[in-house]
Amino acid sequence: MKAIVQGKYGSADVLELKDIDKPVVTGDQVLVRIRAAAVNIGDWHLLRGGPLRPRQQVPGLDLAGEVEVVGEGVKQLRPGDEVFGWCKGAFAEYARAPENHLLAKPSNLTFEQAAAVGDSAFTALNAVRDQGQVEPGHEVLINGASGGVGTFAVQIAKSFGARVTGVCSTRNVDMVRSIGADQVLDYTREDFTQSERRYDVMLDLVGSRSLSDCRRALTPRGRTFWSESWTLVAGSDSLARSRCSRGRRSCARRCVCSL
């Protein structure tokens, strides 16, 4: 099959189109014929990388396509099913992913639209539902509400019944309001850490504020999550930290350590 191959870290110039072997699936793995793949900031980080050779030869995280082959442990998906989700190595004609990384593609979405959902939407869902445990009536602040994860987080938090405040730049205020934010703060004019409003859950997708600054904007039992690099769970009376497999504080999104 043809694939975009990355032999070293650097600019886009290090990427090459090559013929490589098609992935083989076992267990709960699914082989997907790629119909569309999306590019997000995670791909850029993994492209730039560091001094070592990339652990993943084929880049790309977000995909949409058709199931080609399933492993013996796959329970729901079958060949021919249209799916979307995330994997390792989406920039190829075929990619392999665990079944629980894929969902059935809605019939009213094109493959291109579905591919754009993947990593950002799953990250937002994890941050809002699983990490933040957002409930009806919660005051939720999303710093970076106009980004890939932020736009999904605003809509997911609203669907859970929260009152959502989005923080973004001047040019994106109307867009963030249009996707459901109850209040939008332009960070060039307002500092959310200095206002009188207090939040039950804060998702900092930018990492532009210190932990002490964020804690001032929380309710006594409020929590803040730094999802772009580290997750910090904090309140005025507690601070919990966890670590990923390489000793870093764990990510609300999937950390690059796992890729």
Side-chain angles (χ1 to χ4, degrees):
M1 69 173 186
K2 294 189 180 298
I4 300 297
V5 175
Q6 179 183 353
K8 59 184 179 181
Y9 292 115
S11 69
D13 293 336
V14 306
L15 302 176
E16 299 179 273
L17 180 64
K18 291 186 174 182
D19 288 311
I20 64 173
D21 293 335
K22 187 186 298 186
V24 176
V25 299
T26 59
D28 68 344
Q29 295 175 334
V30 176
L31 183 67
V32 179
R33 177 175 177 260
I34 304 296
R35 296 287 300 275
V39 180
N40 66 43
I41 194 170
D43 298 306
W44 183 85
H45 286 309
L46 293 172
L47 174 66
R48 302 294 294 181
L52 303 178
R53 291 177 63 85
R55 296 177 62 185
Q56 181 64 33
Q57 184 184 30
V58 179
L61 302 173
D62 297 337
L63 65 86
E66 299 167 344
V67 174
E68 183 90 357
V69 179
V70 299
E72 65 274 10
V74 172
K75 298 179 179 179
Q76 296 183 340
L77 296 176
R78 294 292 180 265
D81 288 349
E82 297 182 347
V83 296
F84 73 104
W86 60 274
C87 68
K88 299 177 183 179
F91 297 167
E93 291 184 294
Y94 294 88
R96 176 178 56 195
E99 183 180 24
N100 63 3
H101 288 187
L102 302 170
L103 292 170
K105 182 183 77 68
S107 60
N108 62 341
L109 291 184
T110 66
F111 284 107
E112 292 80 7
Q113 290 169 332
V117 173
D119 186 64
S120 293
F122 288 138
T123 298
L125 180 62
N126 176 271
V128 173
R129 182 190 65 189
D130 303 329
Q131 303 282 345
Q133 300 179 18
V134 171
E135 299 177 355
H138 271 172
E139 290 281 349
V140 176
L141 180 133
I142 299 171
N143 185 23
S146 60
V149 176
T151 51
F152 282 109
V154 168
Q155 296 172 81
I156 292 170
K158 282 296 296 180
S159 74
F160 287 177
R163 187 179 190 281
V164 178
T165 298
V167 181
C168 63
S169 63
T170 307
R171 66 176 182 172
N172 291 317
V173 167
D174 289 340
M175 184 273 288
V176 172
R177 185 175 291 113
S178 74
I179 61 175
D182 298 284
Q183 181 178 14
V184 184
L185 302 180
D186 178 351
Y187 67 76
T188 69
R189 300 177 180 179
E190 299 178 78
D191 183 349
F192 69 85
T193 67
Q194 300 299 319
S195 73
E196 296 299 317
R197 186 178 295 276
R198 297 294 177 263
Y199 302 95
D200 301 294
V201 178
M202 183 184 300
L203 305 181
D204 187 354
L205 307 174
V206 182
S208 60
R209 298 293 180 179
S210 68
L211 176 60
S212 59
D213 286 342
C214 290
R215 291 180 72 178
R216 285 198 298 269
L218 294 173
T219 62
R221 298 185 65 83
R223 294 161 292 171
T224 183
F225 299 87
W226 292 8
S227 69
E228 196 58 39
S229 55
W230 299 337
T231 296
L232 297 178
V233 186
S236 60
D237 55 357
S238 66
L239 173 61
R241 301 184 181 185
S242 57
R243 295 184 178 273
C244 73
S245 60
R246 295 178 67 180
R248 300 172 183 161
R249 297 183 183 100
S250 64
C251 302
R253 60 180 286 138
R254 296 186 317 284
C255 163
V256 294
C257 303
S258 67
L259 300 175

